[in-house]
Coordinates of all heavy atoms in Angstrom, one line a residue:
F173 N 19.6 17.1 -36.1 CA 19.2 16.1 -37.1 C 19.3 16.7 -38.5 O 19.8 16.0 -39.5 CB 17.8 15.7 -36.9 CG 17.2 14.8 -37.9 CD1 17.6 13.5 -38.1 CD2 16.2 15.3 -38.8 CE1 17.1 12.7 -39.1 CE2 15.7 14.5 -39.8 CZ 16.1 13.2 -39.9
I249 N 34.0 17.6 -39.3 CA 33.6 19.0 -39.1 C 32.1 19.1 -38.8 O 31.7 19.8 -37.9 CB 34.0 19.8 -40.3 CG1 35.5 19.9 -40.5 CG2 33.4 21.2 -40.2 CD1 36.0 20.6 -41.7
R296 N 24.7 24.2 20.4 CA 23.5 23.4 20.7 C 22.8 23.9 22.0 O 21.6 23.8 22.1 CB 23.8 21.9 20.8 CG 24.3 21.3 19.4 CD 24.5 19.8 19.6 NE 23.3 19.1 19.9 CZ 22.5 18.7 18.9 NH1 22.7 18.9 17.6 NH2 21.4 18.0 19.3
E356 N -6.7 8.6 12.9 CA -7.6 8.5 11.8 C -8.0 7.1 11.6 O -9.2 6.8 11.2 CB -6.8 9.0 10.5 CG -6.5 10.5 10.6 CD -5.8 11.0 9.4 OE1 -5.5 10.1 8.5 OE2 -5.4 12.2 9.3
N382 N -13.1 -4.8 18.9 CA -11.8 -5.3 19.3 C -10.7 -4.5 18.6 O -9.6 -4.2 19.1 CB -11.6 -6.8 19.0 CG -12.5 -7.6 19.9 OD1 -12.9 -7.2 21.0 ND2 -12.9 -8.8 19.4
D407 N 13.5 24.1 26.2 CA 14.4 23.2 26.9 C 15.2 22.3 26.0 O 16.1 21.6 26.4 CB 13.7 22.4 28.0 CG 13.1 23.3 29.1 OD1 13.6 24.3 29.3 OD2 12.0 22.9 29.6
H422 N 17.8 43.8 3.9 CA 18.4 43.4 5.2 C 19.0 42.0 5.0 O 20.1 41.6 5.5 CB 17.5 43.5 6.4 CG 17.0 44.9 6.7 ND1 15.9 45.2 7.4 CD2 17.6 46.1 6.4 CE1 15.8 46.5 7.5 NE2 16.8 47.0 6.9
L447 N 31.0 38.6 14.1 CA 30.0 37.8 13.4 C 29.7 36.5 14.0 O 28.7 35.8 13.6 CB 30.6 37.5 11.9 CG 30.8 38.7 11.0 CD1 31.3 38.3 9.7 CD2 29.5 39.5 10.9
A486 N 25.7 3.2 -1.2 CA 26.2 1.8 -1.3 C 25.1 0.8 -1.6 O 25.3 -0.1 -2.4 CB 26.9 1.4 0.1
A516 N 48.9 -28.5 -37.8 CA 48.5 -29.3 -38.9 C 49.7 -30.0 -39.5 O 50.8 -29.4 -39.4 CB 47.8 -28.5 -40.0
F743 N 12.7 -27.1 -36.6 CA 12.7 -28.6 -36.5 C 11.6 -29.2 -37.3 O 11.1 -30.3 -36.9 CB 12.7 -29.0 -35.1 CG 13.9 -28.6 -34.3 CD1 13.8 -27.6 -33.4 CD2 15.2 -29.1 -34.5 CE1 14.9 -27.1 -32.6 CE2 16.3 -28.7 -33.7 CZ 16.1 -27.7 -32.8
D760 N 20.6 -23.4 -29.8 CA 21.4 -22.2 -29.3 C 20.9 -20.9 -30.0 O 20.8 -19.9 -29.3 CB 22.9 -22.4 -29.5 CG 23.5 -23.5 -28.6 OD1 22.8 -23.8 -27.6 OD2 24.6 -23.9 -28.8
E813 N 19.9 4.4 -14.5 CA 19.2 4.1 -15.7 C 20.1 4.4 -16.9 O 20.0 3.7 -17.9 CB 17.9 5.0 -15.8 CG 16.8 4.6 -14.9 CD 15.5 5.2 -15.3 OE1 15.4 5.9 -16.4 OE2 14.5 5.1 -14.6
T831 N 41.6 -9.3 -20.9 CA 42.3 -8.3 -20.0 C 41.6 -8.2 -18.6 O 42.3 -7.9 -17.7 CB 42.2 -6.9 -20.7 OG1 42.7 -7.0 -22.0 CG2 42.9 -5.9 -19.9
T931 N 25.2 9.4 -31.2 CA 24.9 10.0 -32.5 C 26.1 10.1 -33.4 O 25.9 10.4 -34.6 CB 24.2 11.4 -32.3 OG1 24.9 12.1 -31.2 CG2 22.8 11.2 -31.9
V984 N 31.5 12.6 -23.7 CA 31.3 11.2 -24.0 C 31.0 11.0 -25.5 O 31.5 10.0 -26.1 CB 30.1 10.6 -23.2 CG1 29.9 9.1 -23.4 CG2 30.3 10.8 -21.7
V992 N 34.9 5.8 -33.4 CA 34.4 5.4 -34.7 C 35.1 6.1 -35.9 O 35.5 5.4 -36.8 CB 32.9 5.8 -34.8 CG1 32.3 5.5 -36.2 CG2 32.1 5.0 -33.7

Side-chain angles (χ1 to χ4, degrees):
F173 172 71
I249 294 175
R296 294 184 66 84
E356 295 179 2
N382 293 335
D407 297 331
H422 294 159
L447 296 181
F743 298 104
D760 290 344
E813 286 198 8
T831 304
T931 42
V984 184
V992 174

